Amino acid sequence: MKTKWIFLVAAVFSVIVSPARSADLRPMVASNLTGNLHIFQSIPVCSDLNFDRAVTGGRLEISPADGLDVTGAKTFTLTSMIAFFSPFHTHVSCLTSTDDEFYYEVGASLAQAVTFTTPPAGAGIYNFTIPKGAFLVHEAVRHQSNSDPVVIEDSYKHPSRDVTGTINLAAGTVHLNVKIETVLKINGSDRAGSQEADINGNLTFPDSDGDGIPDRSDNCKFTPNPGQETIPTPVITAPPNLTLNSCLDHHFGFAAATDVCNGHAVTVTNDAPSQFAIGPNTVTWSGNDGADPVVYAYQTVTIVDTTPPVFTFVPPDILLNDCKGTALGTPTATDDCAGTVTFTNNGLDKYYVGTTVVTWTAHDVSSNTSTATQNVTVIDTVPPTISCVATGPPTGNTFIVTAFDACGAPVIRLGSYVLANGESIKLDVTGAPGVRLINDVSSNNIRHFQVGKGQNVVSATDGSNNVTTVVCR
């Protein structure tokens, strides 16, 4: 006589999860299962086999804990199951045939999940029926026939009727009934029979924090709280207080926030202004998980302004054609702390030939400074002025010679002779060409020259070789 005594339930399934919620798919677990396995085998003429054996243990998982809510019902998935049954011995003596079978290990495991949806029956009870065609039962047994060697046999079958059961969420229990048809071969003939398992278990629901209070009833499921005191959530920790050197510096860190009870995402915000003020600034951090009261934490950001202003405009370089003063223009600058920026420069009242570098200095309210430069270049193209004024009315032969140039004292010449600015001279025009000094200084400090006709001309030459002439007459 050969038969098998183990059950494994499985089927293809699908789970519909509403996109409006994030489902917790952790299972509820029943371990150390109880119940019995009823064995019946019809043996005409001989005595039928009809007895029970206890469920000695095992484990099953149903996901998610508490089921997944759908319209008017809940959906459950049997994701894992293993069951063990008491070993037993069968003896059949029929006519001239005797058969003894010894069943040492009898167990079951789940190879494939099965999903079912059932409406509530009230008081947290959900009765369910699963079509037999949706189950696949794996039978396996370790047994020995008479004195033959011990063998292990397994096979797959569908139940002979729909699988039924009850999940009681209020009491935390589960019941499952599975019946399978079996066949015994006795004296060469197949004899019909059945095995029916009633499996019971007490459900253990997820306990994320391990405090002995299941998540389904824990007022704070991620923080150990066996006394069920009120635990504030979420919690938020502001970054440490710090000192920055610019009113525009926003490297002041990030607050850490966690929903310590329900694991919701926490949105963290702060009220930091776009521009801090000099001195201490209070930054308020807030944490919002969308379900619990908003929590706050505070940070002090102290600004010690050491950041100089930044020029945004420097007056353009200036080109002059004569030595003189000039308006330089007005620069602009911004400051990170939004205070008024003032300007100074080292400009001159008068600029001379060549390039003068003017340095602008920008000052903020914290006495930080920055500099920028502007070039003032003089290329002298303006000749000096010169005069040769007769000292006797209305004309005569004595004159005072003067010359002026903005870029410096010009050189005054009469022929090859250099005259002093403001010097008095006496000129006698003769028929002989050239310029000749008659005497250096007369008794009245007048130098006396003889000049050829048309050579009574005095010139003034500046440092840029600009020349002006005048006729003394």
Side-chain angles (χ1 to χ4, degrees):
M1 178 179 70
K2 296 290 193 301
T3 188
K4 298 158 189 156
W5 307 93
I6 192 114
F7 301 87
L8 179 85
V9 185
V12 177
F13 72 98
S14 62
V15 178
I16 300 175
V17 180
S18 168
R21 59 174 290 193
S22 177
D24 183 355
L25 299 181
R26 291 177 301 167
M28 44 191 174
V29 178
S31 55
N32 299 321
L33 303 179
T34 62
N36 67 81
L37 175 67
H38 180 72
I39 301 169
F40 174 78
Q41 201 71 42
S42 174
I43 307 177
V45 180
C46 304
S47 298
D48 294 340
L49 294 175
N50 191 357
F51 59 91
D52 292 325
R53 286 294 180 267
V55 176
T56 59
R59 173 188 174 91
L60 62 85
E61 294 183 0
I62 301 173
S63 178
D66 287 321
L68 184 66
D69 290 325
V70 296
T71 303
K74 281 184 180 289
T75 293
F76 300 91
T77 298
L78 182 62
T79 58
S80 175
M81 186 179 93
I82 185 168
F84 303 100
F85 305 93
S86 296
F88 54 88
H89 164 235
T90 63
H91 174 78
V92 176
S93 179
C94 188
L95 300 178
T96 60
S97 175
T98 299
D99 186 77
D100 285 280
E101 293 285 342
F102 299 89
Y103 296 90
Y104 301 108
E105 294 180 3
V106 183
S109 62
L110 183 63
Q112 188 173 305
V114 61
T115 295
F116 51 91
T117 300
T118 177
I125 297 173
Y126 292 85
N127 300 313
F128 60 87
T129 298
I130 303 174
K132 59 184 180 182
F135 274 76
L136 183 64
V137 179
H138 181 210
E139 298 180 314
V141 65
R142 181 175 179 267
H143 71 101
Q144 184 178 27
S145 178
N146 296 321
S147 60
D148 296 338
V150 175
V151 296
I152 298 175
E153 296 184 7
D154 66 340
S155 63
Y156 291 87
K157 292 182 180 180
H158 288 286
S160 57
R161 68 185 183 200
D162 292 344
V163 176
T164 59
T166 299
I167 297 173
N168 189 330
L169 295 177
T173 61
V174 60
H175 170 72
L176 188 69
N177 178 271
V178 183
K179 185 174 183 180
I180 296 177
E181 298 299 326
T182 60
V183 174
L184 288 182
K185 186 177 288 295
I186 301 177
N187 294 333
S189 300
D190 291 338
R191 303 301 182 182
S194 65
Q195 303 163 20
E196 182 176 357
D198 271 302
I199 301 174
N200 301 296
N202 292 318
L203 295 170
T204 300
F205 295 89
D207 180 10
S208 298
D209 54 17
D211 63 358
I213 309 297
D215 293 347
R216 64 202 303 258
S217 57
D218 197 337
N219 70 347
C220 188
K221 64 184 180 181
F222 292 125
T223 299
N225 182 30
Q228 293 297 278
E229 298 87 356
T230 299
I231 295 180
T233 189
V235 295
I236 185 170
T237 302
N241 299 335
L242 79 169
T243 298
L244 300 176
N245 300 119
S246 171
C247 296
L248 295 178
D249 192 346
H250 278 66
H251 295 89
F252 50 83
F254 301 92
T258 306
D259 181 359
V260 298
C261 285
N262 300 298
H264 296 150
V266 181
T267 300
V268 177
T269 57
N270 66 67
D271 65 351
S274 59
Q275 188 173 54
F276 287 114
I278 296 173
N281 299 259
T282 299
V283 177
T284 301
W285 293 88
S286 63
N288 186 356
D289 65 6
D292 301 294
V294 177
V295 293
Y296 302 93
Y298 304 94
Q299 175 191 22
T300 299
V301 177
T302 301
I303 303 300
V304 176
D305 182 19
T306 62
T307 303
V310 176
F311 279 90
T312 56
F313 173 76
V314 179
D317 293 344
I318 297 173
L319 178 62
L320 302 176
N321 66 351
D322 197 9
C323 299
K324 57 185 177 181
T326 184
L328 297 174
T330 303
T332 60
T334 59
D335 184 63
D336 65 308
C337 289
T340 300
V341 179
T342 58
F343 302 94
T344 58
N345 66 67
N346 63 346
L348 305 176
D349 293 333
K350 182 177 181 179
Y351 296 90
Y352 292 89
V353 173
T355 297
T356 300
V357 178
V358 176
T359 299
W360 288 93
T361 302
H363 308 259
D364 68 10
V365 295
S366 298
S367 299
N368 300 302
T369 61
S370 60
T371 60
T373 59
Q374 175 188 18
N375 294 326
V376 179
T377 300
V378 177
I379 299 176
D380 182 16
T381 62
V382 177
T385 61
I386 189 170
S387 65
C388 186
V389 179
T391 59
T395 60
N397 60 354
T398 59
F399 305 89
I400 296 177
V401 179
T402 58
F404 171 80
D405 187 79
C407 294
V411 177
I412 306 171
R413 289 185 177 88
L414 173 64
S416 61
Y417 296 93
V418 175
L419 306 180
N421 192 17
E423 183 177 353
S424 294
I425 62 175
K426 179 179 180 181
L427 298 181
D428 291 325
V429 179
T430 69
V435 177
R436 296 169 299 279
L437 177 64
I438 302 304
N439 57 345
D440 285 339
V441 179
S442 65
S443 59
N444 55 359
N445 296 324
I446 298 175
R447 283 198 290 174
H448 182 192
F449 295 91
Q450 288 182 343
V451 298
K453 185 176 181 180
Q455 291 183 299
N456 52 337
V457 176
V458 178
S459 67
T461 304
D462 64 18
S464 299
N465 291 318
N466 298 303
V467 179
T468 304
T469 61
V470 66
V471 177
C472 296
R473 55 183 172 209

